[in-house]
């Protein structure tokens, strides 16, 4: 089924139904895509040899799939490749919510949880394409400027894709919500916004002459 025929909301499964704070839950497909695309890092958890294990890693999305990659011998990726179910988590911190009471301090955030089994990307052509997609997410246009992976590098890298099927999101925005009797408490209350901002590029110590100061500044 093509993306254009998909419903606007993801199906709610028993394990994706948000029970705690359900008013903050959303299954909106476009919003979920935005949370995934705006992030560079996700956390991937699974079970390895009977014990929970998790790694942070870069990700990218193609339609209704999210992809990750790493060393072919990575134990977590290997466990997923062998059939273990995984959970992927993405979170954006948008602000600290400073309330009048300790209990009501919180955070403004956007988060997504994805459950599912990973599918290994097979073949050099598929691996090369996902290498390109990964680089292009970091800096659009960079793929054509750099040395591309050789056969040995592709062999040593595993790419895994996860269907965006078992998905939920939670979002909090806005002011603190204090108890009525606390609104006269003599303390500042509000939101301390949090944003991701890139600094000025720093040249590599062995930068080739003529390329100084050409680092890419992301929007």
């Amino acid at each position: 089924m093509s993306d254009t025929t998909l419903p606007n909301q993801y199906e709610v499964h028993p394990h994706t139904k948000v029970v705690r704070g359900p008013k903050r839950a959303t299954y909106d497909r476009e919003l979920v895509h935005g949370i995934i695309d705006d992030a560079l890092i996700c956390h991937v958890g699974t079970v390895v040899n009977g014990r929970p294990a998790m790694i942070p890693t870069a990700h990218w999305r193609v339609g209704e799939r999210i992809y990750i990659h790493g060393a072919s011998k990575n134990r977590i990726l290997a466990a997923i490749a062998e059939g273990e179910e995984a959970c992927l988590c993405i979170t954006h911190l948008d602000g600290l919510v400073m309330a009048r009471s300790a209990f009501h301090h919180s955070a403004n955030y956007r988060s997504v949880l994805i459950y599912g089994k990973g599918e290994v990307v097979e073949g050099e052509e598929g691996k090369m394409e996902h290498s390109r997609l990964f680089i292009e997410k970091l800096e659009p246009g960079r793929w054509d400027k750099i040395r591309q992976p050789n056969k040995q590098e592709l062999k040593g890298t595993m790419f895994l894709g996860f269907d965006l099927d078992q998905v939920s999101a939670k979002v909090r925005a806005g002011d603190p919500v204090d108890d009525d009797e606390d609104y006269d408490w003599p303390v500042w209350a509000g939101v301390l916004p949090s944003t991701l901002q890139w600094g000025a590029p720093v040249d590599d110590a062995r930068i080739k002459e003529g390329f100084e100061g050409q680092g890419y500044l992301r929007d």
Side-chain angles (χ1 to χ4, degrees), residues 107-181:
N108 285 341
Y109 62 89
R110 292 162 290 142
S111 66
V112 165
L113 278 176
I114 303 161
Y115 296 93
K117 292 191 174 184
E119 182 177 347
V120 177
V121 175
E122 302 286 1
E124 287 187 5
E125 184 177 347
K127 289 185 173 185
M128 186 68 78
E129 173 61 8
H130 281 285
S131 297
R132 184 188 71 82
L133 291 169
F134 164 61
I135 295 296
E136 286 296 295
K137 180 173 181 180
L138 301 181
E139 179 191 332
R142 188 169 182 83
W143 179 253
D144 292 331
K145 304 175 185 177
I146 61 175
R147 180 184 68 77
Q148 296 168 9
N150 58 39
K151 290 181 179 292
Q152 191 63 31
E153 290 168 339
L154 290 176
K155 181 180 179 181
T157 306
M158 182 187 298
F159 294 82
L160 290 170
F162 301 82
D163 288 335
L164 296 178
D165 175 39
Q166 303 173 61
V167 180
S168 66
K170 286 186 75 174
V171 176
R172 190 202 189 279
D175 291 341
V177 179
D178 277 301
D179 297 332
D180 285 343
E181 60 268 25

Coordinates of all heavy atoms in Angstrom, one line a residue, residues 107-181:
A107 N 8.4 18.8 31.8 CA 9.1 19.1 30.6 C 8.2 19.2 29.5 O 7.2 18.4 29.4 CB 10.2 18.1 30.4
N108 N 8.4 20.1 28.5 CA 7.8 20.0 27.2 C 8.6 19.2 26.3 O 9.8 19.4 26.2 CB 7.6 21.5 26.7 CG 6.5 22.2 27.4 OD1 5.6 21.6 28.0 ND2 6.5 23.5 27.3
Y109 N 8.0 18.3 25.6 CA 8.7 17.3 24.8 C 7.9 16.8 23.7 O 6.6 16.9 23.6 CB 9.2 16.2 25.7 CG 8.0 15.4 26.3 CD1 7.5 14.3 25.6 CD2 7.5 15.7 27.5 CE1 6.4 13.6 26.2 CE2 6.4 15.1 28.1 CZ 5.9 14.0 27.4 OH 4.8 13.3 27.9
R110 N 8.5 16.1 22.7 CA 7.9 15.3 21.7 C 8.6 14.0 21.6 O 9.9 14.0 21.6 CB 8.0 16.0 20.3 CG 7.2 17.3 20.2 CD 7.7 18.1 19.0 NE 9.0 18.7 19.3 CZ 10.0 18.8 18.4 NH1 9.8 18.4 17.2 NH2 11.2 19.4 18.7
S111 N 7.9 12.9 21.7 CA 8.6 11.6 21.8 C 7.8 10.6 20.9 O 6.6 10.7 20.8 CB 8.7 11.1 23.2 OG 7.4 10.9 23.8
V112 N 8.5 9.6 20.5 CA 7.9 8.5 19.7 C 8.5 7.2 20.2 O 9.7 7.1 20.5 CB 8.2 8.6 18.2 CG1 7.9 7.3 17.4 CG2 7.4 9.8 17.6
L113 N 7.6 6.2 20.3 CA 8.1 4.8 20.6 C 7.7 3.9 19.4 O 6.5 4.0 18.9 CB 7.4 4.3 21.8 CG 8.1 4.6 23.2 CD1 7.2 4.1 24.3 CD2 9.5 4.1 23.3
I114 N 8.6 3.1 19.0 CA 8.3 2.2 17.8 C 8.7 0.8 18.2 O 9.8 0.5 18.7 CB 9.2 2.6 16.6 CG1 8.9 4.0 16.2 CG2 8.9 1.7 15.4 CD1 10.0 4.7 15.4
Y115 N 7.8 -0.2 18.1 CA 8.0 -1.6 18.3 C 8.1 -2.3 17.0 O 7.3 -2.0 16.1 CB 6.9 -2.2 19.2 CG 6.8 -1.5 20.6 CD1 6.0 -0.5 20.9 CD2 7.6 -2.0 21.7 CE1 5.9 0.1 22.1 CE2 7.5 -1.5 22.9 CZ 6.6 -0.4 23.2 OH 6.5 0.1 24.4
G116 N 8.9 -3.4 17.0 CA 8.8 -4.2 15.8 C 10.1 -5.0 15.7 O 11.0 -4.9 16.5
K117 N 10.1 -5.9 14.6 CA 11.3 -6.7 14.3 C 12.0 -6.0 13.1 O 11.3 -5.4 12.2 CB 10.9 -8.1 14.0 CG 10.3 -8.9 15.2 CD 10.2 -10.3 14.9 CE 9.8 -11.1 16.1 NZ 9.8 -12.6 15.9
G118 N 13.3 -6.1 13.1 CA 14.1 -5.4 12.1 C 14.3 -6.4 10.9 O 14.4 -7.6 11.1
E119 N 14.4 -5.8 9.7 CA 14.7 -6.6 8.5 C 16.1 -6.1 8.0 O 16.3 -4.9 7.8 CB 13.7 -6.4 7.5 CG 13.9 -7.2 6.2 CD 12.8 -7.0 5.2 OE1 11.7 -6.5 5.5 OE2 13.0 -7.4 4.0
V120 N 17.0 -7.0 7.8 CA 18.3 -6.7 7.3 C 18.3 -6.3 5.8 O 17.6 -6.9 5.0 CB 19.2 -7.9 7.4 CG1 20.6 -7.6 6.9 CG2 19.3 -8.3 8.9
V121 N 18.9 -5.2 5.5 CA 19.1 -4.7 4.1 C 20.2 -5.6 3.5 O 21.3 -5.6 4.0 CB 19.5 -3.2 4.1 CG1 19.7 -2.8 2.6 CG2 18.4 -2.4 4.7
E122 N 19.8 -6.3 2.5 CA 20.8 -7.2 1.8 C 21.4 -6.6 0.6 O 20.7 -5.8 -0.1 CB 20.1 -8.6 1.5 CG 19.4 -9.3 2.7 CD 20.4 -10.0 3.6 OE1 21.7 -9.9 3.3 OE2 20.0 -10.6 4.6
G123 N 22.6 -7.1 0.2 CA 23.2 -6.7 -1.0 C 23.9 -5.4 -1.0 O 23.5 -4.4 -0.3
E124 N 24.9 -5.3 -1.9 CA 25.7 -4.1 -1.9 C 24.9 -2.9 -2.4 O 25.1 -1.7 -1.9 CB 26.9 -4.3 -2.8 CG 28.0 -5.1 -2.2 CD 29.3 -5.2 -3.1 OE1 29.3 -4.5 -4.1 OE2 30.2 -5.9 -2.8
E125 N 24.0 -3.1 -3.3 CA 23.3 -1.9 -3.9 C 22.4 -1.3 -2.8 O 22.3 -0.1 -2.6 CB 22.4 -2.4 -5.0 CG 21.6 -1.3 -5.7 CD 20.8 -1.8 -6.9 OE1 21.1 -2.9 -7.4 OE2 20.0 -1.0 -7.4
G126 N 21.7 -2.2 -2.0 CA 20.8 -1.7 -0.9 C 21.6 -1.0 0.1 O 21.2 0.1 0.7
K127 N 22.8 -1.6 0.5 CA 23.6 -1.0 1.5 C 24.2 0.4 1.1 O 24.3 1.3 1.8 CB 24.8 -1.9 1.9 CG 24.3 -3.1 2.7 CD 25.6 -3.9 3.1 CE 25.2 -5.1 4.1 NZ 26.4 -5.8 4.5
M128 N 24.6 0.5 -0.2 CA 25.1 1.7 -0.7 C 24.0 2.8 -0.7 O 24.3 3.9 -0.4 CB 25.6 1.5 -2.1 CG 26.3 2.7 -2.7 SD 27.9 3.1 -1.9 CE 28.9 1.8 -2.7
E129 N 22.8 2.4 -1.1 CA 21.7 3.4 -1.1 C 21.4 3.9 0.3 O 21.2 5.1 0.5 CB 20.4 2.8 -1.7 CG 19.2 3.7 -1.6 CD 19.3 5.0 -2.3 OE1 20.3 5.3 -3.1 OE2 18.4 5.9 -2.2
H130 N 21.4 3.1 1.3 CA 21.2 3.5 2.7 C 22.4 4.3 3.3 O 22.2 5.1 4.1 CB 20.7 2.4 3.5 CG 19.3 2.0 3.3 ND1 18.2 2.8 3.8 CD2 18.7 1.0 2.6 CE1 17.1 2.3 3.4 NE2 17.3 1.2 2.7
S131 N 23.6 4.0 2.8 CA 24.7 4.8 3.2 C 24.5 6.2 2.7 O 24.7 7.2 3.4 CB 26.0 4.2 2.6 OG 26.3 3.0 3.1
R132 N 24.0 6.3 1.4 CA 23.7 7.6 0.9 C 22.6 8.4 1.6 O 22.8 9.6 1.9 CB 23.3 7.5 -0.6 CG 23.1 8.8 -1.3 CD 22.5 8.6 -2.7 NE 21.1 8.2 -2.6 CZ 20.1 9.0 -2.4 NH1 20.3 10.3 -2.3 NH2 18.8 8.5 -2.4
L133 N 21.6 7.7 2.0 CA 20.5 8.3 2.7 C 20.9 8.8 4.0 O 20.5 9.9 4.5 CB 19.3 7.3 2.8 CG 18.6 7.0 1.5 CD1 17.6 5.8 1.7 CD2 17.8 8.2 0.9
F134 N 21.8 8.0 4.7 CA 22.3 8.4 6.0 C 23.1 9.7 5.9 O 22.9 10.7 6.6 CB 23.1 7.3 6.6 CG 24.0 7.7 7.7 CD1 23.5 8.2 8.9 CD2 25.4 7.6 7.6 CE1 24.3 8.6 10.0 CE2 26.2 8.0 8.7 CZ 25.6 8.5 9.8
I135 N 24.0 9.8 4.9 CA 24.9 10.9 4.8 C 24.0 12.1 4.3 O 24.3 13.3 4.8 CB 26.0 10.7 3.7 CG1 26.9 9.6 4.2 CG2 26.7 11.9 3.4 CD1 27.7 10.0 5.5
E136 N 23.1 11.9 3.5 CA 22.3 13.0 3.0 C 21.4 13.6 4.1 O 21.0 14.8 4.0 CB 21.4 12.6 1.8 CG 22.2 12.4 0.5 CD 22.8 13.7 0.0 OE1 22.1 14.6 -0.3 OE2 24.1 13.8 0.0
K137 N 21.0 12.8 5.1 CA 20.3 13.4 6.2 C 21.2 14.3 7.0 O 20.8 15.3 7.5 CB 19.7 12.3 7.1 CG 19.0 12.9 8.3 CD 18.2 11.8 9.1 CE 17.5 12.5 10.3 NZ 16.7 11.6 11.1
L138 N 22.5 13.9 7.2 CA 23.4 14.7 7.9 C 23.7 16.1 7.2 O 23.7 17.1 7.8 CB 24.7 14.0 8.2 CG 24.7 12.7 8.9 CD1 26.0 12.1 9.0 CD2 24.0 12.8 10.3
E139 N 23.9 16.0 5.9 CA 24.2 17.2 5.1 C 23.8 17.0 3.7 O 24.5 16.3 2.9 CB 25.7 17.6 5.2 CG 26.0 18.8 4.3 CD 27.5 19.0 4.1 OE1 28.3 18.6 5.0 OE2 27.9 19.6 3.1
P140 N 22.6 17.5 3.3 CA 22.2 17.3 1.9 C 23.3 17.8 0.9 O 23.8 18.9 1.0 CB 20.9 18.2 1.8 CG 20.4 18.3 3.3 CD 21.7 18.3 4.1
G141 N 23.5 16.9 -0.1 CA 24.5 17.2 -1.1 C 25.9 16.7 -0.8 O 26.8 16.8 -1.7
R142 N 26.1 16.2 0.4 CA 27.5 15.8 0.8 C 27.9 14.5 0.1 O 29.1 14.2 -0.2 CB 27.6 15.7 2.3 CG 29.1 15.4 2.8 CD 29.2 15.6 4.3 NE 30.6 15.4 4.7 CZ 31.5 16.4 4.6 NH1 31.2 17.6 4.2 NH2 32.8 16.1 5.0
W143 N 27.0 13.6 -0.2 CA 27.3 12.3 -0.7 C 28.1 12.4 -2.0 O 29.1 11.6 -2.2 CB 26.0 11.5 -1.0 CG 26.2 10.2 -1.6 CD1 26.0 9.8 -2.9 CD2 26.6 9.0 -0.9 NE1 26.2 8.5 -3.1 CE2 26.6 7.9 -1.9 CE3 27.0 8.7 0.4 CZ2 27.0 6.6 -1.6 CZ3 27.4 7.4 0.7 CH2 27.4 6.4 -0.2
D144 N 27.8 13.3 -2.9 CA 28.6 13.4 -4.1 C 30.0 14.0 -3.9 O 30.7 14.1 -4.9 CB 27.8 14.3 -5.1 CG 26.5 13.5 -5.6 OD1 26.5 12.3 -5.6 OD2 25.5 14.2 -5.9
K145 N 30.3 14.5 -2.7 CA 31.6 15.2 -2.5 C 32.6 14.2 -1.8 O 33.8 14.5 -1.9 CB 31.4 16.4 -1.6 CG 30.4 17.5 -2.1 CD 30.2 18.6 -1.1 CE 29.2 19.6 -1.5 NZ 28.9 20.6 -0.5
I146 N 32.1 13.2 -1.2 CA 33.0 12.4 -0.4 C 33.3 11.0 -1.0 O 32.7 10.6 -2.0 CB 32.3 12.1 1.0 CG1 31.0 11.3 0.8 CG2 32.1 13.4 1.8 CD1 30.3 10.9 2.1
R147 N 34.3 10.4 -0.5 CA 34.6 9.0 -0.9 C 33.5 8.1 -0.4 O 33.2 8.1 0.8 CB 36.0 8.5 -0.4 CG 36.3 7.1 -0.9 CD 37.5 6.5 -0.3 NE 37.5 6.2 1.1 CZ 36.9 5.2 1.7 NH1 36.2 4.3 0.9 NH2 36.9 5.0 3.0
Q148 N 32.9 7.3 -1.3 CA 31.8 6.4 -1.0 C 32.3 5.1 -0.5 O 33.5 4.7 -0.7 CB 30.9 6.3 -2.1 CG 30.2 7.7 -2.5 CD 29.5 7.7 -3.8 OE1 29.3 6.7 -4.4 NE2 29.1 8.9 -4.2
P149 N 31.5 4.3 0.3 CA 32.0 3.1 0.9 C 32.5 2.1 -0.1 O 32.0 2.0 -1.2 CB 30.7 2.6 1.6 CG 29.8 3.7 1.8 CD 30.1 4.6 0.6
N150 N 33.6 1.4 0.3 CA 34.1 0.3 -0.6 C 33.5 -1.0 -0.1 O 32.7 -1.1 0.8 CB 35.6 0.3 -0.5 CG 36.2 0.1 0.9 OD1 35.6 -0.7 1.7 ND2 37.3 0.7 1.3
K151 N 33.8 -2.1 -0.9 CA 33.2 -3.4 -0.6 C 33.4 -3.9 0.8 O 32.5 -4.4 1.5 CB 33.7 -4.4 -1.6 CG 33.3 -4.2 -3.0 CD 33.8 -5.3 -4.0 CE 33.4 -5.1 -5.4 NZ 31.9 -5.4 -5.5
Q152 N 34.6 -3.7 1.3 CA 35.0 -4.1 2.7 C 34.2 -3.4 3.7 O 33.7 -3.9 4.7 CB 36.4 -4.0 2.9 CG 36.9 -4.7 4.2 CD 36.7 -6.2 4.2 OE1 36.8 -6.8 3.1 NE2 36.5 -6.8 5.3
E153 N 34.0 -2.1 3.5 CA 33.2 -1.2 4.5 C 31.8 -1.6 4.4 O 31.1 -1.7 5.5 CB 33.4 0.2 4.1 CG 34.8 0.7 4.5 CD 35.1 2.1 3.9 OE1 34.4 2.5 2.9 OE2 36.0 2.8 4.4
L154 N 31.2 -1.9 3.3 CA 29.8 -2.3 3.2 C 29.6 -3.7 3.8 O 28.6 -3.9 4.5 CB 29.4 -2.4 1.7 CG 29.2 -1.0 1.0 CD1 28.9 -1.2 -0.5 CD2 28.2 -0.2 1.7
K155 N 30.6 -4.6 3.6 CA 30.5 -5.9 4.2 C 30.5 -5.8 5.8 O 29.8 -6.6 6.4 CB 31.7 -6.8 3.8 CG 31.7 -8.2 4.3 CD 32.9 -9.0 3.8 CE 32.9 -10.4 4.4 NZ 34.1 -11.2 3.9
G156 N 31.2 -4.8 6.3 CA 31.3 -4.7 7.7 C 30.2 -3.9 8.4 O 30.3 -3.7 9.6
T157 N 29.3 -3.5 7.6 CA 28.2 -2.7 8.1 C 26.8 -3.4 7.9 O 26.6 -4.0 6.9 CB 28.1 -1.3 7.4 OG1 29.4 -0.7 7.4 CG2 27.1 -0.4 8.0
M158 N 26.0 -3.4 9.0 CA 24.7 -3.9 8.9 C 23.7 -2.8 8.9 O 23.8 -1.8 9.7 CB 24.4 -4.8 10.1 CG 23.0 -5.5 10.1 SD 22.6 -6.4 11.6 CE 23.9 -7.7 11.6
F159 N 22.7 -2.9 8.0 CA 21.6 -1.9 8.0 C 20.3 -2.7 8.3 O 20.0 -3.8 7.8 CB 21.5 -1.3 6.6 CG 22.6 -0.4 6.2 CD1 23.8 -1.0 5.7 CD2 22.5 0.9 6.3 CE1 24.9 -0.2 5.3 CE2 23.6 1.8 5.9 CZ 24.8 1.2 5.5
L160 N 19.5 -2.1 9.2 CA 18.2 -2.7 9.6 C 17.1 -1.7 9.4 O 17.2 -0.5 9.7 CB 18.3 -3.1 11.1 CG 19.2 -4.2 11.5 CD1 19.3 -4.3 13.1 CD2 18.7 -5.6 11.0
G161 N 16.0 -2.2 8.9 CA 14.8 -1.4 8.7 C 13.6 -1.9 9.6 O 13.5 -3.1 9.7
F162 N 12.9 -1.0 10.1 CA 11.7 -1.3 10.9 C 10.4 -0.7 10.4 O 10.5 0.6 10.1 CB 11.9 -0.8 12.4 CG 13.1 -1.4 13.0 CD1 14.4 -0.8 12.8 CD2 13.0 -2.5 13.9 CE1 15.5 -1.3 13.4 CE2 14.2 -3.0 14.5 CZ 15.4 -2.4 14.3
D163 N 9.4 -1.4 10.2 CA 8.1 -0.9 9.7 C 7.5 0.0 10.8 O 7.5 -0.3 12.0 CB 7.1 -2.0 9.4 CG 7.5 -2.7 8.1 OD1 8.2 -2.2 7.3 OD2 7.1 -3.9 8.0
L164 N 7.0 1.2 10.3 CA 6.3 2.1 11.2 C 4.8 1.6 11.3 O 3.9 2.1 10.6 CB 6.4 3.5 10.7 CG 7.7 4.1 10.7 CD1 7.7 5.5 10.1 CD2 8.3 4.1 12.1
D165 N 4.6 0.6 12.1 CA 3.3 0.0 12.3 C 2.8 0.1 13.7 O 1.7 0.5 14.0 CB 3.4 -1.5 11.8 CG 2.1 -2.2 12.0 OD1 1.0 -1.6 11.8 OD2 2.1 -3.4 12.4
Q166 N 3.7 -0.4 14.6 CA 3.4 -0.4 16.0 C 4.0 0.9 16.7 O 5.1 0.8 17.1 CB 3.8 -1.6 16.7 CG 3.3 -2.9 16.1 CD 3.9 -4.2 16.6 OE1 3.8 -4.4 17.8 NE2 4.5 -4.9 15.7
V167 N 3.3 2.0 16.6 CA 3.9 3.3 16.9 C 2.9 4.1 17.8 O 1.7 4.0 17.7 CB 4.0 4.1 15.6 CG1 4.6 5.5 15.9 CG2 4.9 3.3 14.6
S168 N 3.5 4.8 18.7 CA 2.8 5.8 19.5 C 3.7 7.0 19.8 O 4.9 6.9 19.7 CB 2.3 5.3 20.9 OG 3.4 4.9 21.7
A169 N 3.0 8.2 20.0 CA 3.8 9.4 20.3 C 3.1 10.1 21.5 O 2.0 9.9 21.8 CB 3.8 10.3 19.1
K170 N 4.0 10.8 22.2 CA 3.5 11.7 23.3 C 4.1 13.1 23.2 O 5.2 13.2 22.8 CB 3.8 11.1 24.7 CG 3.0 9.9 25.1 CD 3.3 9.5 26.5 CE 2.7 10.4 27.6 NZ 2.9 9.9 28.9
V171 N 3.2 14.1 23.4 CA 3.7 15.5 23.3 C 3.1 16.3 24.5 O 1.9 16.2 24.8 CB 3.1 16.1 22.0 CG1 3.5 17.5 21.9 CG2 3.7 15.3 20.8
R172 N 4.0 17.1 25.1 CA 3.6 18.0 26.1 C 4.0 19.4 25.6 O 5.2 19.6 25.2 CB 4.1 17.8 27.4 CG 3.4 18.7 28.5 CD 4.2 18.8 29.8 NE 3.5 19.5 30.8 CZ 3.3 20.9 30.9 NH1 3.8 21.7 29.9 NH2 2.6 21.4 31.9
A173 N 3.2 20.4 25.7 CA 3.5 21.8 25.4 C 2.7 22.7 26.3 O 1.7 22.3 26.8 CB 3.2 22.1 23.9
G174 N 3.2 23.9 26.5 CA 2.5 24.9 27.3 C 3.0 25.1 28.7 O 4.1 24.6 29.1
D175 N 2.2 25.8 29.5 CA 2.6 26.3 30.8 C 2.5 25.2 31.9 O 2.0 24.1 31.6 CB 1.7 27.4 31.2 CG 1.8 28.7 30.4 OD1 2.9 28.8 29.8 OD2 0.9 29.5 30.4
P176 N 3.1 25.5 33.0 CA 2.9 24.6 34.2 C 1.4 24.5 34.5 O 0.6 25.5 34.3 CB 3.7 25.3 35.3 CG 4.6 26.3 34.7 CD 3.9 26.7 33.4
V177 N 1.0 23.4 35.1 CA -0.4 23.3 35.6 C -0.3 23.1 37.1 O -0.1 22.0 37.6 CB -1.1 22.1 34.9 CG1 -2.5 22.0 35.4 CG2 -1.1 22.3 33.4
D178 N -0.5 24.2 37.8 CA -0.4 24.1 39.3 C -1.7 23.9 39.9 O -2.8 24.1 39.3 CB 0.3 25.4 39.8 CG 1.8 25.4 39.7 OD1 2.4 24.5 40.3 OD2 2.4 26.3 39.1
D179 N -1.7 23.5 41.2 CA -2.9 23.5 41.9 C -3.4 24.9 42.2 O -2.6 25.8 42.3 CB -2.7 22.8 43.3 CG -2.3 21.3 43.1 OD1 -2.7 20.7 42.1 OD2 -1.6 20.8 44.0
D180 N -4.7 25.1 42.2 CA -5.3 26.5 42.3 C -4.7 27.2 43.5 O -4.4 28.4 43.4 CB -6.8 26.4 42.4 CG -7.5 26.1 41.1 OD1 -6.8 26.2 40.1 OD2 -8.6 25.6 41.1
E181 N -4.5 26.6 44.6 CA -4.1 27.3 45.8 C -2.6 27.7 45.7 O -2.1 28.4 46.6 CB -4.3 26.4 47.1 CG -3.5 25.1 47.0 CD -4.4 23.9 46.5 OE1 -5.3 24.2 45.6 OE2 -4.1 22.8 46.8

